[in-house]
Amino acid sequence: MERTEMKRLFKSIDGHVIEIAQMIDFLQVMCQEEWIEDTGKYLYIIINLLKNECEKLDIDRYELEIGCLD
């Protein structure tokens, strides 16, 4: 795997991690006891977004791992 491809994958992984961290912060706000009745219905959507980001992160990690082992 070329160095430029590795850099792209690392940047992609960093981007996914940042998005997940931001979503976690948002979830902490949404799950506050005084707001949960109003915001609880959106948790399912947010959980699916987080799952998708984690899947993308796993794919990038796998590509990077394979590239480094070659």
Side-chain angles (χ1 to χ4, degrees), residues 4 11-12 15 17 27 30 38 56-57 63 68:
T4 54
K11 283 184 181 181
S12 178
V17 170
L27 281 172
M30 285 186 64
D38 297 329
K56 291 176 191 175
L57 184 60
E63 287 179 17
C68 289

Side-chain angles (χ1 to χ4, degrees), residues 26-41:
F26 182 65
L27 281 172
Q28 287 176 330
V29 171
M30 285 186 64
C31 291
Q32 291 180 12
E33 189 174 333
E34 64 270 13
W35 297 343
I36 194 68
E37 285 186 34
D38 297 329
T39 59
K41 57 189 167 201

Side-chain angles (χ1 to χ4, degrees), residues 54-66:
C54 286
E55 288 173 5
K56 291 176 191 175
L57 184 60
D58 192 44
I59 290 168
D60 287 346
R61 182 199 55 79
Y62 178 75
E63 287 179 17
L64 190 58
E65 184 179 314
I66 294 300

Side-chain angles (χ1 to χ4, degrees), residues 36-50:
I36 194 68
E37 285 186 34
D38 297 329
T39 59
K41 57 189 167 201
Y42 300 107
L43 292 176
Y44 180 77
I45 295 167
I46 294 169
I47 288 168
N48 282 332
L49 291 172
L50 283 171

Side-chain angles (χ1 to χ4, degrees), residues 13-24 50 53 56:
I13 288 170
D14 286 343
H16 293 307
V17 170
I18 289 169
E19 289 176 14
I20 290 168
Q22 289 172 339
M23 193 64 70
I24 289 168
L50 283 171
E53 285 303 311
K56 291 176 191 175

